[in-house]
Amino acid sequence: MLAQGENSEVDVLEVTSPTLVPSATTGNLSDHIEHNATVDPQAAIVSAQEGNVWTPINARDFQSLVRAVAKGLMADGIEAGQRVAIFARTRHEWTIADYAIWYAGGITVPIYETSSGEQVQWILQDADVVATFFDAARTTHAYNQIAPTVPRMTRS
């Protein structure tokens, strides 16, 4: 903290280091889904939980789920560069929705399932979200409180 009358200029030390891994110039985050489905389609990629039972989802099935949801987003009018929120707890459907948004060219906006209505409102408006995936009644309840104040959100 500066005392009154002290010089406010501060010396800044800049540190640089060499790049260890070159930046990608091609491809995108979803390329490995296609790769995995081609190279080892039966490999378990994620697990789905139903009660206390965990069921693996293989690479081919995961690819199919992601593509189907992406097609739904595009059919619903989601365009490249638009923001789509996921308002849910962490689960395999979250991962499918996240990849589907990327496949459709969208940008994922995550919202914690414990967010208040005011927090949800700010995130949706600030990010200019046009659609949202909801997890359950507890997340739609928080959204329903503020829905009239989020004019850009025409789909849910």
Side-chain angles (χ1 to χ4, degrees), residues 2-36:
L2 295 174
Q4 191 172 12
E6 286 188 18
N7 185 348
S8 63
E9 288 187 34
V10 177
D11 290 331
V12 177
L13 175 63
E14 182 177 329
V15 177
T16 61
S17 62
T19 303
L20 300 177
V21 178
S23 298
T25 56
T26 62
N28 61 54
L29 293 172
S30 58
D31 285 349
H32 68 281
I33 301 296
E34 297 299 319
H35 174 78
N36 291 340

PDB file of all heavy atoms in Angstrom, residues 2-36:
ATOM      1  N   LEU A   2       0.506   2.254  -0.739  1.00  0.00           N
ATOM      2  CA  LEU A   2       1.282   3.484  -0.815  1.00  0.00           C
ATOM      3  C   LEU A   2       0.808   4.475   0.237  1.00  0.00           C
ATOM      4  O   LEU A   2      -0.390   4.639   0.449  1.00  0.00           O
ATOM      5  CB  LEU A   2       1.125   4.125  -2.198  1.00  0.00           C
ATOM      6  CG  LEU A   2       1.674   3.338  -3.382  1.00  0.00           C
ATOM      7  CD1 LEU A   2       1.314   4.037  -4.669  1.00  0.00           C
ATOM      8  CD2 LEU A   2       3.170   3.193  -3.263  1.00  0.00           C
ATOM      9  N   ALA A   3       1.758   5.114   0.874  1.00  0.00           N
ATOM     10  CA  ALA A   3       1.415   6.184   1.796  1.00  0.00           C
ATOM     11  C   ALA A   3       1.185   7.438   0.976  1.00  0.00           C
ATOM     12  O   ALA A   3       1.699   7.582  -0.130  1.00  0.00           O
ATOM     13  CB  ALA A   3       2.536   6.393   2.813  1.00  0.00           C
ATOM     14  N   GLN A   4       0.431   8.366   1.505  1.00  0.00           N
ATOM     15  CA  GLN A   4       0.135   9.607   0.789  1.00  0.00           C
ATOM     16  C   GLN A   4       1.433  10.319   0.426  1.00  0.00           C
ATOM     17  O   GLN A   4       2.335  10.450   1.234  1.00  0.00           O
ATOM     18  CB  GLN A   4      -0.737  10.503   1.651  1.00  0.00           C
ATOM     19  CG  GLN A   4      -1.294  11.674   0.886  1.00  0.00           C
ATOM     20  CD  GLN A   4      -2.312  12.435   1.723  1.00  0.00           C
ATOM     21  OE1 GLN A   4      -2.431  12.214   2.914  1.00  0.00           O
ATOM     22  NE2 GLN A   4      -3.032  13.328   1.075  1.00  0.00           N
ATOM     23  N   GLY A   5       1.498  10.731  -0.810  1.00  0.00           N
ATOM     24  CA  GLY A   5       2.671  11.466  -1.278  1.00  0.00           C
ATOM     25  C   GLY A   5       3.754  10.589  -1.869  1.00  0.00           C
ATOM     26  O   GLY A   5       4.702  11.100  -2.441  1.00  0.00           O
ATOM     27  N   GLU A   6       3.676   9.268  -1.746  1.00  0.00           N
ATOM     28  CA  GLU A   6       4.709   8.397  -2.309  1.00  0.00           C
ATOM     29  C   GLU A   6       4.533   8.270  -3.818  1.00  0.00           C
ATOM     30  O   GLU A   6       3.448   8.460  -4.364  1.00  0.00           O
ATOM     31  CB  GLU A   6       4.638   7.001  -1.680  1.00  0.00           C
ATOM     32  CG  GLU A   6       5.172   6.952  -0.259  1.00  0.00           C
ATOM     33  CD  GLU A   6       5.248   5.519   0.243  1.00  0.00           C
ATOM     34  OE1 GLU A   6       5.224   4.580  -0.572  1.00  0.00           O
ATOM     35  OE2 GLU A   6       5.313   5.350   1.472  1.00  0.00           O
ATOM     36  N   ASN A   7       5.611   7.926  -4.506  1.00  0.00           N
ATOM     37  CA  ASN A   7       5.596   7.713  -5.943  1.00  0.00           C
ATOM     38  C   ASN A   7       4.762   6.463  -6.230  1.00  0.00           C
ATOM     39  O   ASN A   7       4.970   5.408  -5.648  1.00  0.00           O
ATOM     40  CB  ASN A   7       7.038   7.534  -6.447  1.00  0.00           C
ATOM     41  CG  ASN A   7       7.109   7.417  -7.952  1.00  0.00           C
ATOM     42  OD1 ASN A   7       6.095   7.245  -8.620  1.00  0.00           O
ATOM     43  ND2 ASN A   7       8.313   7.519  -8.471  1.00  0.00           N
ATOM     44  N   SER A   8       3.812   6.582  -7.176  1.00  0.00           N
ATOM     45  CA  SER A   8       2.930   5.448  -7.458  1.00  0.00           C
ATOM     46  C   SER A   8       3.459   4.536  -8.561  1.00  0.00           C
ATOM     47  O   SER A   8       2.829   3.558  -8.900  1.00  0.00           O
ATOM     48  CB  SER A   8       1.534   5.959  -7.842  1.00  0.00           C
ATOM     49  OG  SER A   8       1.615   6.717  -9.019  1.00  0.00           O
ATOM     50  N   GLU A   9       4.622   4.866  -9.134  1.00  0.00           N
ATOM     51  CA  GLU A   9       5.172   3.992 -10.160  1.00  0.00           C
ATOM     52  C   GLU A   9       5.769   2.743  -9.518  1.00  0.00           C
ATOM     53  O   GLU A   9       6.414   2.805  -8.484  1.00  0.00           O
ATOM     54  CB  GLU A   9       6.254   4.720 -10.955  1.00  0.00           C
ATOM     55  CG  GLU A   9       5.684   5.783 -11.867  1.00  0.00           C
ATOM     56  CD  GLU A   9       6.744   6.382 -12.772  1.00  0.00           C
ATOM     57  OE1 GLU A   9       7.662   5.642 -13.173  1.00  0.00           O
ATOM     58  OE2 GLU A   9       6.624   7.571 -13.050  1.00  0.00           O
ATOM     59  N   VAL A  10       5.541   1.612 -10.164  1.00  0.00           N
ATOM     60  CA  VAL A  10       6.029   0.336  -9.650  1.00  0.00           C
ATOM     61  C   VAL A  10       6.814  -0.346 -10.757  1.00  0.00           C
ATOM     62  O   VAL A  10       6.389  -0.384 -11.901  1.00  0.00           O
ATOM     63  CB  VAL A  10       4.849  -0.573  -9.225  1.00  0.00           C
ATOM     64  CG1 VAL A  10       5.344  -1.915  -8.752  1.00  0.00           C
ATOM     65  CG2 VAL A  10       4.010   0.109  -8.163  1.00  0.00           C
ATOM     66  N   ASP A  11       7.982  -0.855 -10.405  1.00  0.00           N
ATOM     67  CA  ASP A  11       8.737  -1.628 -11.381  1.00  0.00           C
ATOM     68  C   ASP A  11       8.068  -2.979 -11.561  1.00  0.00           C
ATOM     69  O   ASP A  11       7.701  -3.635 -10.594  1.00  0.00           O
ATOM     70  CB  ASP A  11      10.186  -1.849 -10.902  1.00  0.00           C
ATOM     71  CG  ASP A  11      10.993  -0.559 -10.927  1.00  0.00           C
ATOM     72  OD1 ASP A  11      10.687   0.298 -11.769  1.00  0.00           O
ATOM     73  OD2 ASP A  11      11.913  -0.432 -10.109  1.00  0.00           O
ATOM     74  N   VAL A  12       7.903  -3.379 -12.815  1.00  0.00           N
ATOM     75  CA  VAL A  12       7.269  -4.654 -13.120  1.00  0.00           C
ATOM     76  C   VAL A  12       8.324  -5.577 -13.715  1.00  0.00           C
ATOM     77  O   VAL A  12       9.027  -5.209 -14.646  1.00  0.00           O
ATOM     78  CB  VAL A  12       6.104  -4.471 -14.120  1.00  0.00           C
ATOM     79  CG1 VAL A  12       5.498  -5.812 -14.488  1.00  0.00           C
ATOM     80  CG2 VAL A  12       5.053  -3.548 -13.537  1.00  0.00           C
ATOM     81  N   LEU A  13       8.411  -6.754 -13.155  1.00  0.00           N
ATOM     82  CA  LEU A  13       9.341  -7.744 -13.646  1.00  0.00           C
ATOM     83  C   LEU A  13       8.574  -8.682 -14.574  1.00  0.00           C
ATOM     84  O   LEU A  13       7.583  -9.285 -14.184  1.00  0.00           O
ATOM     85  CB  LEU A  13       9.945  -8.541 -12.483  1.00  0.00           C
ATOM     86  CG  LEU A  13      10.860  -9.701 -12.857  1.00  0.00           C
ATOM     87  CD1 LEU A  13      12.100  -9.193 -13.589  1.00  0.00           C
ATOM     88  CD2 LEU A  13      11.260 -10.472 -11.611  1.00  0.00           C
ATOM     89  N   GLU A  14       9.011  -8.766 -15.810  1.00  0.00           N
ATOM     90  CA  GLU A  14       8.370  -9.657 -16.764  1.00  0.00           C
ATOM     91  C   GLU A  14       9.228 -10.896 -16.923  1.00  0.00           C
ATOM     92  O   GLU A  14      10.425 -10.803 -17.146  1.00  0.00           O
ATOM     93  CB  GLU A  14       8.205  -8.973 -18.120  1.00  0.00           C
ATOM     94  CG  GLU A  14       7.497  -9.834 -19.130  1.00  0.00           C
ATOM     95  CD  GLU A  14       7.266  -9.116 -20.446  1.00  0.00           C
ATOM     96  OE1 GLU A  14       7.098  -7.891 -20.450  1.00  0.00           O
ATOM     97  OE2 GLU A  14       7.280  -9.807 -21.471  1.00  0.00           O
ATOM     98  N   VAL A  15       8.590 -12.047 -16.797  1.00  0.00           N
ATOM     99  CA  VAL A  15       9.296 -13.312 -16.910  1.00  0.00           C
ATOM    100  C   VAL A  15       8.743 -14.056 -18.116  1.00  0.00           C
ATOM    101  O   VAL A  15       7.537 -14.151 -18.292  1.00  0.00           O
ATOM    102  CB  VAL A  15       9.114 -14.162 -15.634  1.00  0.00           C
ATOM    103  CG1 VAL A  15       9.789 -15.504 -15.782  1.00  0.00           C
ATOM    104  CG2 VAL A  15       9.621 -13.416 -14.422  1.00  0.00           C
ATOM    105  N   THR A  16       9.611 -14.565 -18.933  1.00  0.00           N
ATOM    106  CA  THR A  16       9.188 -15.373 -20.078  1.00  0.00           C
ATOM    107  C   THR A  16       9.898 -16.712 -20.030  1.00  0.00           C
ATOM    108  O   THR A  16      10.953 -16.851 -19.422  1.00  0.00           O
ATOM    109  CB  THR A  16       9.509 -14.672 -21.419  1.00  0.00           C
ATOM    110  OG1 THR A  16      10.920 -14.478 -21.512  1.00  0.00           O
ATOM    111  CG2 THR A  16       8.796 -13.340 -21.534  1.00  0.00           C
ATOM    112  N   SER A  17       9.288 -17.679 -20.666  1.00  0.00           N
ATOM    113  CA  SER A  17       9.916 -18.991 -20.766  1.00  0.00           C
ATOM    114  C   SER A  17       9.596 -19.545 -22.149  1.00  0.00           C
ATOM    115  O   SER A  17       8.592 -19.188 -22.753  1.00  0.00           O
ATOM    116  CB  SER A  17       9.410 -19.928 -19.672  1.00  0.00           C
ATOM    117  OG  SER A  17       8.030 -20.125 -19.805  1.00  0.00           O
ATOM    118  N   PRO A  18      10.436 -20.438 -22.636  1.00  0.00           N
ATOM    119  CA  PRO A  18      10.181 -20.997 -23.964  1.00  0.00           C
ATOM    120  C   PRO A  18       8.941 -21.888 -23.959  1.00  0.00           C
ATOM    121  O   PRO A  18       8.604 -22.511 -22.952  1.00  0.00           O
ATOM    122  CB  PRO A  18      11.437 -21.811 -24.262  1.00  0.00           C
ATOM    123  CG  PRO A  18      12.027 -22.105 -22.940  1.00  0.00           C
ATOM    124  CD  PRO A  18      11.651 -20.967 -22.029  1.00  0.00           C
ATOM    125  N   THR A  19       8.248 -21.930 -25.078  1.00  0.00           N
ATOM    126  CA  THR A  19       7.090 -22.796 -25.227  1.00  0.00           C
ATOM    127  C   THR A  19       7.557 -24.243 -25.266  1.00  0.00           C
ATOM    128  O   THR A  19       8.445 -24.595 -26.039  1.00  0.00           O
ATOM    129  CB  THR A  19       6.342 -22.450 -26.528  1.00  0.00           C
ATOM    130  OG1 THR A  19       5.974 -21.073 -26.484  1.00  0.00           O
ATOM    131  CG2 THR A  19       5.110 -23.300 -26.698  1.00  0.00           C
ATOM    132  N   LEU A  20       6.977 -25.070 -24.409  1.00  0.00           N
ATOM    133  CA  LEU A  20       7.354 -26.475 -24.355  1.00  0.00           C
ATOM    134  C   LEU A  20       6.577 -27.321 -25.360  1.00  0.00           C
ATOM    135  O   LEU A  20       7.080 -28.312 -25.860  1.00  0.00           O
ATOM    136  CB  LEU A  20       7.143 -27.022 -22.941  1.00  0.00           C
ATOM    137  CG  LEU A  20       7.953 -26.334 -21.843  1.00  0.00           C
ATOM    138  CD1 LEU A  20       7.595 -26.911 -20.486  1.00  0.00           C
ATOM    139  CD2 LEU A  20       9.442 -26.459 -22.118  1.00  0.00           C
ATOM    140  N   VAL A  21       5.345 -26.920 -25.625  1.00  0.00           N
ATOM    141  CA  VAL A  21       4.501 -27.634 -26.573  1.00  0.00           C
ATOM    142  C   VAL A  21       3.966 -26.607 -27.561  1.00  0.00           C
ATOM    143  O   VAL A  21       3.399 -25.599 -27.150  1.00  0.00           O
ATOM    144  CB  VAL A  21       3.319 -28.337 -25.859  1.00  0.00           C
ATOM    145  CG1 VAL A  21       2.410 -29.029 -26.843  1.00  0.00           C
ATOM    146  CG2 VAL A  21       3.831 -29.305 -24.810  1.00  0.00           C
ATOM    147  N   PRO A  22       4.141 -26.836 -28.837  1.00  0.00           N
ATOM    148  CA  PRO A  22       3.647 -25.852 -29.807  1.00  0.00           C
ATOM    149  C   PRO A  22       2.125 -25.755 -29.771  1.00  0.00           C
ATOM    150  O   PRO A  22       1.424 -26.747 -29.522  1.00  0.00           O
ATOM    151  CB  PRO A  22       4.133 -26.383 -31.151  1.00  0.00           C
ATOM    152  CG  PRO A  22       4.469 -27.804 -30.922  1.00  0.00           C
ATOM    153  CD  PRO A  22       4.773 -27.968 -29.465  1.00  0.00           C
ATOM    154  N   SER A  23       1.605 -24.574 -30.037  1.00  0.00           N
ATOM    155  CA  SER A  23       0.163 -24.371 -30.087  1.00  0.00           C
ATOM    156  C   SER A  23      -0.422 -25.113 -31.277  1.00  0.00           C
ATOM    157  O   SER A  23       0.193 -25.188 -32.339  1.00  0.00           O
ATOM    158  CB  SER A  23      -0.160 -22.882 -30.223  1.00  0.00           C
ATOM    159  OG  SER A  23       0.307 -22.184 -29.101  1.00  0.00           O
ATOM    160  N   ALA A  24      -1.610 -25.640 -31.101  1.00  0.00           N
ATOM    161  CA  ALA A  24      -2.290 -26.343 -32.190  1.00  0.00           C
ATOM    162  C   ALA A  24      -2.675 -25.357 -33.277  1.00  0.00           C
ATOM    163  O   ALA A  24      -3.103 -24.241 -32.997  1.00  0.00           O
ATOM    164  CB  ALA A  24      -3.535 -27.039 -31.663  1.00  0.00           C
ATOM    165  N   THR A  25      -2.494 -25.754 -34.499  1.00  0.00           N
ATOM    166  CA  THR A  25      -2.880 -24.906 -35.627  1.00  0.00           C
ATOM    167  C   THR A  25      -4.028 -25.524 -36.422  1.00  0.00           C
ATOM    168  O   THR A  25      -4.556 -24.897 -37.329  1.00  0.00           O
ATOM    169  CB  THR A  25      -1.678 -24.663 -36.569  1.00  0.00           C
ATOM    170  OG1 THR A  25      -1.174 -25.923 -36.995  1.00  0.00           O
ATOM    171  CG2 THR A  25      -0.585 -23.885 -35.853  1.00  0.00           C
ATOM    172  N   THR A  26      -4.389 -26.754 -36.095  1.00  0.00           N
ATOM    173  CA  THR A  26      -5.508 -27.424 -36.743  1.00  0.00           C
ATOM    174  C   THR A  26      -6.288 -28.195 -35.693  1.00  0.00           C
ATOM    175  O   THR A  26      -5.798 -28.432 -34.593  1.00  0.00           O
ATOM    176  CB  THR A  26      -5.046 -28.425 -37.830  1.00  0.00           C
ATOM    177  OG1 THR A  26      -4.249 -29.436 -37.206  1.00  0.00           O
ATOM    178  CG2 THR A  26      -4.243 -27.726 -38.913  1.00  0.00           C
ATOM    179  N   GLY A  27      -7.485 -28.619 -36.060  1.00  0.00           N
ATOM    180  CA  GLY A  27      -8.281 -29.455 -35.178  1.00  0.00           C
ATOM    181  C   GLY A  27      -9.062 -28.661 -34.156  1.00  0.00           C
ATOM    182  O   GLY A  27      -9.049 -27.432 -34.148  1.00  0.00           O
ATOM    183  N   ASN A  28      -9.770 -29.390 -33.300  1.00  0.00           N
ATOM    184  CA  ASN A  28     -10.532 -28.761 -32.231  1.00  0.00           C
ATOM    185  C   ASN A  28     -10.696 -29.739 -31.070  1.00  0.00           C
ATOM    186  O   ASN A  28     -10.231 -30.871 -31.125  1.00  0.00           O
ATOM    187  CB  ASN A  28     -11.886 -28.269 -32.759  1.00  0.00           C
ATOM    188  CG  ASN A  28     -12.742 -29.380 -33.303  1.00  0.00           C
ATOM    189  OD1 ASN A  28     -12.997 -30.367 -32.615  1.00  0.00           O
ATOM    190  ND2 ASN A  28     -13.191 -29.244 -34.535  1.00  0.00           N
ATOM    191  N   LEU A  29     -11.389 -29.298 -30.033  1.00  0.00           N
ATOM    192  CA  LEU A  29     -11.510 -30.088 -28.812  1.00  0.00           C
ATOM    193  C   LEU A  29     -12.267 -31.398 -28.989  1.00  0.00           C
ATOM    194  O   LEU A  29     -12.113 -32.317 -28.193  1.00  0.00           O
ATOM    195  CB  LEU A  29     -12.195 -29.255 -27.721  1.00  0.00           C
ATOM    196  CG  LEU A  29     -11.397 -28.068 -27.207  1.00  0.00           C
ATOM    197  CD1 LEU A  29     -12.259 -27.221 -26.283  1.00  0.00           C
ATOM    198  CD2 LEU A  29     -10.155 -28.550 -26.476  1.00  0.00           C
ATOM    199  N   SER A  30     -13.072 -31.474 -30.016  1.00  0.00           N
ATOM    200  CA  SER A  30     -13.863 -32.693 -30.193  1.00  0.00           C
ATOM    201  C   SER A  30     -13.218 -33.731 -31.102  1.00  0.00           C
ATOM    202  O   SER A  30     -13.766 -34.815 -31.286  1.00  0.00           O
ATOM    203  CB  SER A  30     -15.259 -32.325 -30.706  1.00  0.00           C
ATOM    204  OG  SER A  30     -15.158 -31.609 -31.905  1.00  0.00           O
ATOM    205  N   ASP A  31     -12.060 -33.437 -31.655  1.00  0.00           N
ATOM    206  CA  ASP A  31     -11.404 -34.388 -32.559  1.00  0.00           C
ATOM    207  C   ASP A  31     -11.144 -35.746 -31.919  1.00  0.00           C
ATOM    208  O   ASP A  31     -11.234 -36.778 -32.581  1.00  0.00           O
ATOM    209  CB  ASP A  31     -10.079 -33.828 -33.078  1.00  0.00           C
ATOM    210  CG  ASP A  31     -10.265 -32.753 -34.126  1.00  0.00           C
ATOM    211  OD1 ASP A  31     -11.400 -32.572 -34.608  1.00  0.00           O
ATOM    212  OD2 ASP A  31      -9.277 -32.073 -34.453  1.00  0.00           O
ATOM    213  N   HIS A  32     -10.826 -35.754 -30.631  1.00  0.00           N
ATOM    214  CA  HIS A  32     -10.509 -37.037 -30.006  1.00  0.00           C
ATOM    215  C   HIS A  32     -11.737 -37.950 -29.886  1.00  0.00           C
ATOM    216  O   HIS A  32     -11.595 -39.164 -29.819  1.00  0.00           O
ATOM    217  CB  HIS A  32      -9.808 -36.847 -28.655  1.00  0.00           C
ATOM    218  CG  HIS A  32     -10.679 -36.256 -27.609  1.00  0.00           C
ATOM    219  ND1 HIS A  32     -10.952 -34.916 -27.534  1.00  0.00           N
ATOM    220  CD2 HIS A  32     -11.343 -36.835 -26.603  1.00  0.00           C
ATOM    221  CE1 HIS A  32     -11.753 -34.691 -26.510  1.00  0.00           C
ATOM    222  NE2 HIS A  32     -12.004 -35.838 -25.934  1.00  0.00           N
ATOM    223  N   ILE A  33     -12.948 -37.392 -29.918  1.00  0.00           N
ATOM    224  CA  ILE A  33     -14.153 -38.218 -29.908  1.00  0.00           C
ATOM    225  C   ILE A  33     -14.208 -39.042 -31.192  1.00  0.00           C
ATOM    226  O   ILE A  33     -14.450 -40.252 -31.168  1.00  0.00           O
ATOM    227  CB  ILE A  33     -15.428 -37.358 -29.790  1.00  0.00           C
ATOM    228  CG1 ILE A  33     -15.401 -36.515 -28.513  1.00  0.00           C
ATOM    229  CG2 ILE A  33     -16.685 -38.215 -29.859  1.00  0.00           C
ATOM    230  CD1 ILE A  33     -15.415 -37.296 -27.239  1.00  0.00           C
ATOM    231  N   GLU A  34     -13.948 -38.386 -32.323  1.00  0.00           N
ATOM    232  CA  GLU A  34     -13.939 -39.082 -33.615  1.00  0.00           C
ATOM    233  C   GLU A  34     -12.791 -40.093 -33.663  1.00  0.00           C
ATOM    234  O   GLU A  34     -12.964 -41.215 -34.124  1.00  0.00           O
ATOM    235  CB  GLU A  34     -13.804 -38.077 -34.765  1.00  0.00           C
ATOM    236  CG  GLU A  34     -14.963 -37.100 -34.862  1.00  0.00           C
ATOM    237  CD  GLU A  34     -16.303 -37.775 -35.100  1.00  0.00           C
ATOM    238  OE1 GLU A  34     -16.359 -38.738 -35.900  1.00  0.00           O
ATOM    239  OE2 GLU A  34     -17.288 -37.354 -34.482  1.00  0.00           O
ATOM    240  N   HIS A  35     -11.639 -39.681 -33.168  1.00  0.00           N
ATOM    241  CA  HIS A  35     -10.467 -40.566 -33.160  1.00  0.00           C
ATOM    242  C   HIS A  35     -10.751 -41.824 -32.344  1.00  0.00           C
ATOM    243  O   HIS A  35     -10.515 -42.946 -32.802  1.00  0.00           O
ATOM    244  CB  HIS A  35      -9.254 -39.814 -32.604  1.00  0.00           C
ATOM    245  CG  HIS A  35      -8.044 -40.680 -32.439  1.00  0.00           C
ATOM    246  ND1 HIS A  35      -7.237 -41.039 -33.492  1.00  0.00           N
ATOM    247  CD2 HIS A  35      -7.527 -41.277 -31.332  1.00  0.00           C
ATOM    248  CE1 HIS A  35      -6.260 -41.815 -33.049  1.00  0.00           C
ATOM    249  NE2 HIS A  35      -6.411 -41.969 -31.741  1.00  0.00           N
ATOM    250  N   ASN A  36     -11.254 -41.642 -31.123  1.00  0.00           N
ATOM    251  CA  ASN A  36     -11.520 -42.789 -30.251  1.00  0.00           C
ATOM    252  C   ASN A  36     -12.561 -43.728 -30.845  1.00  0.00           C
ATOM    253  O   ASN A  36     -12.425 -44.950 -30.752  1.00  0.00           O
ATOM    254  CB  ASN A  36     -11.983 -42.318 -28.870  1.00  0.00           C
ATOM    255  CG  ASN A  36     -10.888 -41.648 -28.084  1.00  0.00           C
ATOM    256  OD1 ASN A  36      -9.707 -41.832 -28.368  1.00  0.00           O
ATOM    257  ND2 ASN A  36     -11.271 -40.860 -27.097  1.00  0.00           N
TER     258      ASN A  36
END
